[in-house]
Amino acid sequence: MSRIAYVNGRYLGRRDAMVHVEDRGYQFADGVYEVCEVRGGRIVDERRHMARLQRSLAELRIPMPMSLVALGLVLGRRSTANLVRGASSTCK
């Protein structure tokens, strides 16, 4: 089964998912890592995860790449595409 990743606005098979060498994380060695538990196809405590993500990004002065609503949709679509019902989902 092919796993789906979301990279730079595109859904890609994991084999095709790559981060460009000029990506901010490589250039400045900064980034935020957030792991969300998925149960029954839904993110557990999504609102708290999103608040922590926003706070962490603000501390590093990294702009939020999309609205919280859009990010929730991306995470939900990725979980559905990967048939995730109960596991951890990573947001980098």
Side-chain angles (χ1 to χ4, degrees), residues 1-89:
M1 168 183 14
S2 176
R3 303 297 269 171
I4 303 298
Y6 182 83
V7 180
N8 295 328
R10 296 175 46 207
Y11 294 93
L12 302 166
R14 283 177 86 171
R15 173 179 277 153
D16 299 320
M18 292 181 264
V19 177
H20 194 278
V21 71
E22 296 287 331
D23 184 82
R24 179 191 171 98
Y26 289 128
Q27 294 293 315
F28 299 103
D30 64 3
V32 174
Y33 185 85
E34 182 73 27
V35 176
C36 304
E37 179 183 355
V38 177
R39 214 182 288 152
R42 298 188 55 88
I43 295 174
V44 175
D45 294 327
E46 182 175 352
R47 197 169 64 207
R48 288 176 47 197
H49 281 290
M50 295 298 184
R52 185 170 49 234
L53 177 62
Q54 282 186 299
R55 203 169 44 251
S56 297
L57 289 171
E59 286 293 322
L60 294 174
R61 295 187 179 111
I62 298 174
M64 189 75 176
M66 63 185 70
S67 72
L68 292 179
V69 171
L71 181 56
L73 293 172
V74 167
L75 292 174
R77 182 171 176 194
R78 203 190 66 159
S79 293
T80 300
N82 287 318
L83 304 175
V84 175
R85 304 304 300 155
S88 293
S89 182

